């Protein structure tokens, strides 16, 4: 069995006592899986991703990344395995230029400068952002910041890729580029998104969350074509399927 996996069992979490946001979540994913986490606002999608990468503590239940429990003492190891792209790209960009931001994590892990440069160039090529290499962060558009943030994560060659609303702020061309990037990533990826069309294009599996619980976990095509299921949980069909009367599942 591959070491690349996520295991979540009976997970509860709330910012305040007796007010849980996540309620008994159990979720398992393995190498090469592409999983879309979907649900209306407040369903708990972003909270789940942040717990996976150890941004929140004091949860109840079990979270293990590659057999390593997510706890304070293991966070440096966990974060060397996981690449997490924030919903707000500016939260990840804090250096002067794109090159410096992408180089920051490899340098922080003590890699030699030659290897740092190699990783930066590779990440820029993977994201199609070579032209941004020397550009100052404050001069980037929203879409360019998103690509730069993705490149900062790819520079660490993660085993697992977590992305929170990755298509936000992207124009159609950069959105297509994002889909290409996601489909070229060969390891495990988990994408939380309201962009159901993108989930349909990039994920083989979908996990539908509603009010802090998982209500459906299965093939993405099956879930994302189920109009009644989606509408019962505050969502609509992907735009590419709206207006079609045939070939859609009913519960």
């Amino acid at each position: 069995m591959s070491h690349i996996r996520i295991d979540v069992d009976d997970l509860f979490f709330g910012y305040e006592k007796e007010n849980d946001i996540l309620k008994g979540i159990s979720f398992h994913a393995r190498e090469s899986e592409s999983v879309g986490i979907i649900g209306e606002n407040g369903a708990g999608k972003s909270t789940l991703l942040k717990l996976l990468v150890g941004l929140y503590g004091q949860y109840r239940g079990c979270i293990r990344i590659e057999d390593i429990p997510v706890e304070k003492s293991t966070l440096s190891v966990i974060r060397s395995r996981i690449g997490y792209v924030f919903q707000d790209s500016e939260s990840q960009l804090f250096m002067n230029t794109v090159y410096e931001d992408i180089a920051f994590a490899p340098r922080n892990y003590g890699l030699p400068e030659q290897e740092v440069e190699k990783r930066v160039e590779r990440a820029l090529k993977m994201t199609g952002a070579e032209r941004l290499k020397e550009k100052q962060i404050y001069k980037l558009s929203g879409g360019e910041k998103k690509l730069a943030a993705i490149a900062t994560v790819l520079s660490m060659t993660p085993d697992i890729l977590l992305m929170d609303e990755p298509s936000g702020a992207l124009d159609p061309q950069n959105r297509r580029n994002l889909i290409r990037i996601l489909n070229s990533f060969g390891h495990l990826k988990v994408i939380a998104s309201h962009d159901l069309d993108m989930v349909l294009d990039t994920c083989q599996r979908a996990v539908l969350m509603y009010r802090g619980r998982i209500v459906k976990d299965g093939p993405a095509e099956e879930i994302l074509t189920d109009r009644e299921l989606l509408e019962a949980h505050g969502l609509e069909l992907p735009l590419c399927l709206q207006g079609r009367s045939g070939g859609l599942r009913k519960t």
Side-chain angles (χ1 to χ4, degrees):
M1 180 183 296
S2 169
H3 72 287
I4 299 176
R5 61 184 185 270
I6 295 171
D7 293 292
V8 178
D9 291 290
D10 203 25
L11 174 65
F12 289 81
F13 174 79
Y15 299 105
E16 301 174 358
K17 291 183 178 179
E18 301 179 358
N19 187 21
D20 286 326
I21 295 172
L22 300 182
K23 306 167 185 177
I25 295 288
S26 291
F27 168 76
H28 305 275
R30 299 293 182 264
E31 180 174 11
S32 79
E33 278 197 278
S34 50
V35 185
I37 308 292
I38 63 173
E40 64 180 359
N41 285 337
K45 306 184 300 297
S46 295
T47 300
L48 175 59
L49 292 194
K50 289 175 180 177
L51 284 163
L52 293 179
V53 78
L55 292 179
Y56 299 140
Q58 303 303 315
Y59 62 83
R60 308 189 309 280
C62 180
I63 308 175
R64 299 180 73 87
I65 305 296
E66 301 183 356
D67 278 337
I68 304 168
V70 177
E71 53 193 36
K72 188 175 181 179
S73 63
T74 64
L75 290 186
S76 63
V77 177
I78 294 292
R79 291 170 184 172
S80 71
R81 307 285 204 277
I82 290 181
Y84 175 56
V85 180
F86 288 76
Q87 182 172 348
D88 176 14
S89 301
E90 292 191 9
S91 299
Q92 271 176 284
L93 304 173
F94 49 86
M95 303 295 283
N96 290 325
T97 68
V98 170
Y99 183 96
E100 291 172 347
D101 254 314
I102 300 172
F104 178 82
R107 283 173 175 160
N108 195 47
Y109 275 85
L111 296 178
E113 195 60 29
Q114 185 176 1
E115 176 64 18
V116 169
E117 183 176 354
K118 179 180 176 182
R119 288 183 177 226
V120 171
E121 297 293 344
R122 182 171 59 216
L124 287 168
K125 183 176 182 180
M126 289 178 69
T127 54
E130 295 99 323
R131 62 186 175 81
L132 303 179
K133 179 177 176 179
E134 301 299 338
K135 198 166 183 178
Q136 293 178 304
I137 297 299
Y138 78 92
K139 292 184 177 180
L140 299 179
S141 67
E144 288 172 338
K145 287 177 181 177
K146 181 68 70 175
L147 291 178
I150 294 170
T152 66
V153 165
L154 294 178
S155 70
M156 288 302 295
T157 61
D159 292 338
I160 299 170
L161 188 60
L162 306 181
M163 306 191 85
D164 192 357
E165 297 293 349
S167 62
L170 294 183
D171 59 29
Q173 181 178 359
N174 280 324
R175 183 180 173 280
R176 288 193 297 272
N177 187 34
L178 171 65
I179 290 170
R180 177 191 62 77
I181 294 166
L182 292 175
N183 287 336
S184 67
F185 184 77
H187 296 312
L188 171 57
K189 54 181 177 283
V190 180
I191 304 161
S193 183
H194 288 105
D195 185 347
L196 300 190
D197 289 82
M198 187 201 68
V199 173
L200 192 60
D201 285 338
T202 59
C203 297
Q204 298 170 335
R205 174 181 165 196
V207 176
L208 174 60
M209 295 183 65
Y210 185 68
R211 297 181 181 177
R213 302 181 188 276
I214 292 175
V215 296
K216 187 79 171 181
D217 182 347
E221 185 173 358
E222 177 182 314
I223 291 174
L224 293 173
T225 57
D226 192 332
R227 184 193 302 271
E228 291 184 8
L229 175 67
L230 294 175
E231 291 182 353
H233 297 93
L235 300 176
E236 296 183 344
L237 287 170
L239 290 174
C240 67
L241 298 178
Q242 291 184 22
R244 298 185 188 180
S245 58
L248 301 183
R249 285 175 47 82
K250 294 183 178 180
T251 54

